[in-house]
Amino acid sequence: MLKDITLGQYFPGNSVIHRLDPRTKLLLVVVYIVALFTAKWFVSYALVLLCLIVIIGISGVKPRTILKSLKPLLFIILFTGILNLFYTEGKTLVSFWISTITYEGLTRAFFMILRISLLVTGTFMLTYTTSPVSLTDGMESLLRPLRHLHIPVHELSMMMCIALRFIPTLTQETDKIISAQKARGADFESGNLVARAKALVPILVPLFISSFRRADELATAMECRCYHGGEGRTKLKQLQYRARDAVAFFLGAIVLASVILLRIFGL
Amino acid sequence: METKAISVEQLNFAYAGGEDTPTVQVFENLDFSVEEGSFVAVLGRNGCGKSTLAKHFNAILLPSGGKVSVFSMDTSDEDALLDIRKCVGMVFQNPDNQIISNVVEEDVAFAPENLGIPRDEIRRRVDEALEIVGMTKYKNHAPHLLSGGQKQRIAIAGVIAMRPKCIVLDEPTAMLDPRGRREVMETIRRLNEESKITVVLITHHMAEAALADRVVVMEHGNILADGTPKEVFSQVQRLKDARLTVPETTQLLYELNQNGYDFSLDSLSVEECAQAIYKTFA
Amino acid sequence: MTPILQVVDLCHTYGEGTPFCHDALQNISFSIEEGEFVGIIGHTGSGKSTLIQHLNCLAKPSSGQILFRGEDVWKDKAFTRDVRFRVGLVFQYPEYQLFEETVYDDIAFGPKNMGLSKEEIDRRVRRAAGFVGIPEENLQKSPFDLSGGQKRRAAIAGVIAMEPQVLILDEPTAGLDPAGGEKILQNIRAYQKALNATVIMVSHSMEEVAACADRLIVLNEGAVAMMGTPHEVFSHAQELEKIGLDVPQVTRVFLRLRQLGMDVDPAVYNIKDAVSALMKYRGVNADA
């Protein structure tokens, strides 16, 4: 069922990772990604993997949840791996029929799979440990300088906050509509691609209509609660950097520096 | 002169038509007012104009003729818009579509944040509002995991955090089960009695309306009956003609009267009704 | 005669193997006879929605069986699909499932999925529209131009058009005003009468269910708490209140009258019975 998707979900908790300032976490994700793409050989990958394992350990998110979240992406990960496996030129390892597997291909495929998995898991850790509201707050705060370029930063982050709020509501609703149409004999499983695409109409039309209705009611409710854009707004939870954020930045910098250093030495 | 919480004078309003939809005239010279501190229930069938009327109370809709004022502020005065909305809070039928955040306390903080209230004060108001609706325990929960009645109480807390003088509730219990309905009605009653907030409750549940100080029955944009619950519900025939029901207690006494008895129709509560029957029969 | 539907020791567990796992239904057994009107009562979370989804094969039992005319509904794929048409399920707020361009096409969606001929579909659409009181001229309108109550009735017609032998409705009157709700109940009774169909109605309004059902099933926390005729069930008024269900006001008045010492039937649940009970009481005591 749709309920099983954990993408972008938030698991409330009280670990140090949960309590870090969202801006710190956002910036560290960037550092993490840079480190990941700088990594070249086993040693540096191992270092990044170790960091991730430590973070997961501290956060208290269950490893099973993380494996489950990778499941929907399994196809893409394997597909990229296989492409790299067969289409990298180099020293031939095995060759059969028209395809050859090279030594370079094998290592490249391995690193590719590792890189995507680490990338996805690392960014998921951000949403797992940060409530959507503080995430949007953090983003708004980091992007604030862009206001001078006339980019509506507040509006964008408000939109994101509402979108995240309505994901569970809309998945529940989709489940309900699917059941209701099934009860009327709708068949979503058989037939060719065109037939299946057509079978989605009875779900999509009601879903769109109800989303518009919701949006309309929500807009009125927001107006009733004095919403008038970002001007003059205050916040219940002000973002504040603390000592732990400094520590986190420091550790992040060390990891990045190590990975760069390892790259220079080709490890 | 005592100020009225809400005063509607000679209200005219029509939903503008489009190319193939005709213009719908909802109100023609409607007069209506609500005393400060009172608890008024507005009854009527779907489409009788009760929701449209409610939307005039905090300037979501503006009159096309006549005047609506709340606590002496004209709703068409744009400069007073935020003050009007702060004064008259609104709660709607579907709690899912009025909750903005996925953490309960952050949702309750939404209105005070919009009003630019300092942080410490927001904290105080959020805690107070959650206390009033009895949801303090859930302040860090995700709203979509709560029951309907709890969600609706969060929506009410989100409005009380503005410290309004009046709350207008548009069928707040229509989507709830009996348990949720009781929770919400109990909260509304306490807001009125303890926090002295003026309440306008739009409903088609007769038993809920019977809890108010005053009941107003609307039909086709007009006021059909207006008075205390006892006065209004004793006009059984008139309400029936408007295709509305009356509470079962009144209905029972009315039917007994059709069988030759002479009960007065103002025994609304179960206790009063049982006593009246007991006196006559035993 | 075999009952049309039998529920045998039904259990359903949500999210087995996850930390969110909980029993939604526990050891539920009952049977429903052809032509009966059964009311299922319970508050949100009592398992009533899960139960009815089992009755038309949208949910699969964790253990136990659902029998349709004595045969397991999960016997084979073709039979399961067939049962889905014979046991029609109208969801809560069914108007949110409308999607076609015209009311006619929307009502025809179910019959089309059944693979019926064009003439038969046309006959059924018109008949279903008749049952719910949608006038001929509205059939070519967009369903989204109808009023709230009419939309609801059009959606119900969409299920009725499949002419199910068992019609299940999940809170068909929720959110409507009393007159609109009454109209829908009349439509349902008309359908039941014309086809000698079985009706199962889920509700949390005691008054409403008591007024039309032959038999009531009260659910609480995933188990059957009470079962019987309305008269039997309402004679346990105090227990019903304990479960958190609303007991009709008249029933409460009669309970109070008994406390005051009047020997009246405490299981009265509608105005008509209440009046005749009181008239009878008067008659008996006048004779004495």
Side-chain angles (χ1 to χ4, degrees):
Chain A
M1 281 290 218
L2 292 166
K3 281 176 228 147
D4 298 332
I5 296 174
T6 57
L7 177 97
Q9 242 182 30
Y10 167 56
F11 299 114
N14 208 17
S15 71
V16 184
I17 308 281
H18 283 86
R19 277 178 294 159
L20 282 179
D21 189 288
R23 289 169 297 181
T24 310
K25 283 189 264 189
L26 277 164
L27 290 172
L28 283 178
V29 165
V30 177
V31 169
Y32 173 83
I33 293 171
V34 172
L36 195 57
F37 280 91
T38 315
K40 209 173 173 194
W41 201 242
F42 288 101
V43 187
S44 30
Y45 272 105
L47 181 66
V48 177
L49 181 64
L50 183 75
C51 285
L52 187 64
I53 290 173
V54 170
I55 290 169
I56 293 172
I58 298 174
S59 71
V61 176
K62 290 198 189 69
R64 220 172 89 190
T65 318
I66 288 161
L67 291 179
K68 224 171 103 184
S69 66
L70 282 175
K71 227 171 86 183
L73 297 166
L74 200 65
F75 174 74
I76 300 175
I77 295 175
L78 285 180
F79 184 70
T80 337
I82 288 167
L83 271 189
N84 277 293
L85 188 62
F86 289 114
Y87 294 97
T88 310
E89 286 177 16
K91 220 164 33 180
T92 305
L93 211 59
V94 258
S95 117
F96 53 92
W97 195 33
I98 51 162
S99 48
T100 47
I101 295 178
T102 62
Y103 174 72
E104 282 79 5
L106 192 66
T107 49
R108 200 142 151 199
F110 175 74
F111 284 137
M112 212 51 184
I113 290 175
L114 196 62
R115 185 180 280 175
I116 298 176
S117 310
L118 286 175
L119 181 72
V120 170
T121 317
T123 39
F124 273 18
M125 280 311 292
L126 175 70
T127 61
Y128 285 163
T129 62
T130 318
S131 89
V133 175
S134 44
L135 196 63
T136 40
D137 279 355
M139 236 179 246
E140 186 180 348
S141 161
L142 285 176
L143 298 178
R144 194 158 294 153
L146 293 182
R147 267 188 321 189
H148 301 299
L149 302 173
H150 297 287
I151 293 171
V153 176
H154 166 78
E155 281 71 16
L156 287 173
S157 71
M158 192 61 172
M159 269 155 61
M160 191 173 135
C161 178
I162 290 172
L164 287 167
R165 147 76 184 84
F166 275 90
I167 286 174
T169 309
L170 289 178
T171 40
Q172 275 170 11
E173 180 138 330
T174 314
D175 267 342
K176 218 182 277 168
I177 295 172
I178 291 176
S179 299
Q181 306 297 24
K182 263 191 188 164
R184 293 164 79 188
D187 185 359
F188 304 115
E189 275 120 39
S190 51
N192 58 19
L193 213 60
V194 180
R196 281 195 202 194
K198 254 175 110 181
L200 289 179
V201 172
I203 299 171
L204 293 179
V205 173
L207 196 60
F208 273 127
I209 288 170
S210 102
S211 303
F212 280 125
R213 199 193 61 244
R214 279 182 196 284
D216 190 40
E217 285 180 21
L218 186 71
T220 312
M222 285 171 71
E223 264 187 71
C224 285
R225 287 165 76 184
C226 300
Y227 183 68
H228 55 104
E231 217 170 306
R233 254 189 132 234
T234 44
K235 285 273 180 191
L236 170 64
K237 288 180 184 157
Q238 226 100 46
L239 297 177
Q240 208 168 14
Y241 286 117
R242 291 172 198 282
R244 54 174 171 264
D245 295 297
V247 175
F249 276 125
F250 182 66
L251 293 175
I254 290 178
V255 171
L256 184 60
S258 321
V259 173
I260 292 173
L261 216 67
L262 287 169
R263 188 190 167 94
I264 293 171
F265 290 107
L267 291 165
Chain B
M1 201 187 84
E2 200 185 343
T3 50
K4 297 244 193 271
I6 296 167
S7 131
V8 174
E9 288 161 47
Q10 296 290 301
L11 173 65
N12 278 281
F13 181 79
Y15 281 111
E19 266 172 41
D20 38 40
T21 44
T23 305
V24 186
Q25 187 73 34
V26 187
F27 300 119
E28 234 169 306
N29 305 329
L30 178 76
D31 288 311
F32 176 79
S33 68
V34 174
E35 299 294 331
E36 200 170 344
S38 60
F39 179 176
V40 181
V42 180
L43 279 173
R45 298 194 59 195
N46 287 346
C48 73
K50 52 193 192 324
S51 297
T52 310
L53 181 61
K55 287 192 176 128
H56 279 86
F57 297 162
N58 71 345
I60 292 295
L61 293 176
L62 292 174
S64 38
K67 190 178 152 193
V68 176
S69 45
V70 292
F71 298 95
S72 314
M73 292 178 281
D74 191 329
T75 57
S76 54
D77 176 4
E78 265 179 55
D79 296 328
L81 189 66
L82 283 185
D83 286 323
I84 290 165
R85 295 207 170 135
K86 198 165 69 181
C87 254
V88 181
M90 225 12 156
V91 175
F92 298 93
Q93 194 182 92
N94 191 342
D96 269 329
N97 298 351
Q98 16 183 347
I99 294 177
I100 289 127
S101 165
N102 14 15
V103 180
V104 165
E105 66 170 0
E106 287 174 13
D107 183 73
V108 177
F110 182 71
E113 285 177 346
N114 289 334
L115 293 168
I117 289 164
R119 189 162 63 115
D120 297 342
E121 175 66 12
I122 298 183
R123 181 82 265 165
R124 249 199 309 282
R125 287 191 182 197
V126 168
D127 291 345
E128 178 195 271
L130 284 170
E131 193 64 45
I132 292 175
V133 300
M135 290 295 289
T136 307
K137 223 168 63 187
Y138 297 92
K139 66 178 185 183
N140 289 319
H141 276 58
H144 73 272
L145 300 175
L146 300 175
S147 76
Q150 290 173 328
K151 276 191 257 188
Q152 197 60 287
R153 276 148 70 200
I154 297 299
I156 294 175
V159 168
I160 341 180
M162 300 192 291
R163 299 240 172 102
K165 291 192 203 159
C166 171
I167 292 190
V168 181
L169 303 105
D170 191 353
E171 297 190 32
T173 63
M175 302 184 77
L176 308 180
D177 67 357
R179 193 180 275 180
R181 201 171 279 160
R182 267 198 297 270
E183 284 170 20
V184 169
M185 283 313 294
E186 175 56 25
T187 309
I188 295 172
R189 201 193 48 77
R190 261 191 299 132
L191 284 180
N192 180 245
E193 280 175 14
E194 289 164 22
S195 311
K196 307 283 174 231
I197 295 174
T198 310
V199 172
V200 179
L201 172 71
I202 292 170
T203 181
H204 39 233
H205 276 276
M206 305 302 142
E208 287 173 5
L211 298 174
D213 312 328
R214 175 176 158 212
V215 175
V216 177
V217 182
M218 290 191 66
E219 193 190 28
H220 307 307
N222 292 309
I223 290 170
L224 187 72
D226 184 350
T228 63
K230 290 185 180 192
E231 286 163 5
V232 170
F233 290 127
S234 52
Q235 305 173 34
V236 178
Q237 201 51 52
R238 196 156 173 203
L239 292 175
K240 279 193 165 177
D241 292 342
R243 310 248 293 139
L244 283 164
T245 53
V246 294
E248 284 196 333
T249 44
T250 313
Q251 178 76 20
L252 175 61
L253 298 175
Y254 176 79
E255 295 289 330
L256 286 170
N257 286 354
Q258 303 293 307
N259 282 291
Y261 289 90
D262 190 24
F263 284 104
S264 112
L265 292 175
D266 61 5
S267 305
L268 264 181
S269 73
V270 168
E271 182 61 31
E272 287 170 330
C273 177
Q275 290 294 352
I277 293 174
Y278 182 70
K279 262 184 219 136
T280 310
F281 279 79
Chain C
M1 222 178 81
T2 341
I4 189 153
L5 270 176
Q6 271 171 286
V7 176
V8 188
D9 222 14
L10 174 67
C11 295
H12 187 87
T13 310
Y14 269 123
E16 236 163 321
T18 71
F20 308 109
C21 153
H22 73 279
D23 290 332
L25 298 173
Q26 302 161 32
N27 305 88
I28 294 193
S29 295
F30 60 83
S31 52
I32 289 169
E33 304 295 332
E34 187 113 46
E36 241 189 327
F37 196 129
V38 177
I40 297 182
I41 321 171
H43 52 78
T44 316
S46 61
K48 50 189 169 43
S49 300
T50 315
L51 174 63
I52 53 171
Q53 295 204 15
H54 279 85
L55 298 181
N56 91 333
C57 312
L58 281 174
K60 210 168 181 175
S62 300
S63 71
Q65 273 186 314
I66 312 284
L67 307 178
F68 181 80
R69 294 193 197 284
E71 285 181 87
D72 190 330
V73 296
W74 291 99
K75 172 178 82 157
D76 59 59
K77 238 183 167 176
F79 189 63
T80 306
R81 190 168 162 78
D82 195 41
V83 169
R84 225 169 252 171
F85 293 126
R86 288 170 195 274
V87 180
L89 175 54
V90 179
F91 273 77
Q92 214 174 9
Y93 301 103
E95 58 274 30
Y96 296 159
Q97 76 200 25
L98 298 170
F99 70 98
E100 284 281 13
E101 271 168 54
T102 65
V103 176
Y104 184 97
D105 287 340
D106 212 288
I107 300 176
F109 181 67
K112 254 187 219 156
N113 287 328
M114 295 171 79
L116 299 171
S117 70
K118 224 173 164 194
E119 295 70 40
E120 178 64 11
I121 292 175
D122 186 66
R123 183 193 70 79
R124 289 193 175 199
V125 170
R126 287 177 199 284
R127 195 168 179 214
F131 278 125
V132 299
I134 295 175
E136 193 82 14
E137 68 266 21
N138 277 0
L139 286 177
Q140 292 312 321
K141 274 194 190 168
S142 159
F144 306 108
D145 289 342
L146 300 178
S147 77
Q150 279 179 320
K151 260 188 221 169
R152 173 86 48 100
R153 282 183 277 132
I156 293 176
V159 174
I160 283 182
M162 303 193 297
E163 304 197 347
Q165 281 138 350
V166 182
L167 180 64
I168 309 177
L169 304 107
D170 191 355
E171 301 199 21
T173 65
L176 296 180
D177 61 29
E182 182 48 43
K183 209 166 188 176
I184 285 193
L185 295 180
Q186 280 168 10
N187 299 154
I188 296 167
R189 277 189 290 243
Y191 176 77
Q192 185 200 16
K193 240 186 173 161
L195 276 89
N196 187 32
T198 308
V199 176
I200 301 174
M201 190 166 97
V202 172
S203 176
H204 44 227
S205 157
M206 288 290 211
E207 278 99 335
E208 185 182 285
V209 184
C212 30
D214 306 318
R215 205 150 58 90
L216 299 181
I217 296 173
V218 181
L219 286 186
N220 188 36
E221 293 180 359
V224 175
M226 272 177 236
M227 191 154 37
T229 61
H231 191 266
E232 282 163 7
V233 168
F234 283 111
S235 62
H236 301 282
Q238 272 144 344
E239 285 160 58
L240 291 172
E241 283 195 317
K242 232 179 264 163
I243 299 176
L245 291 168
D246 258 352
V247 173
Q249 272 190 325
V250 264
T251 314
R252 301 220 309 268
V253 170
F254 270 57
L255 278 172
R256 183 73 187 121
L257 287 177
R258 277 181 72 88
Q259 279 175 358
L260 290 168
M262 277 172 70
D263 183 25
V264 284
D265 183 355
V268 159
Y269 54 87
N270 62 33
I271 306 279
K272 214 177 97 215
D273 292 354
V275 172
S276 57
L278 285 172
M279 300 306 285
K280 207 172 104 195
Y281 179 84
R282 195 51 191 259
V284 172
N285 288 331
D287 291 343

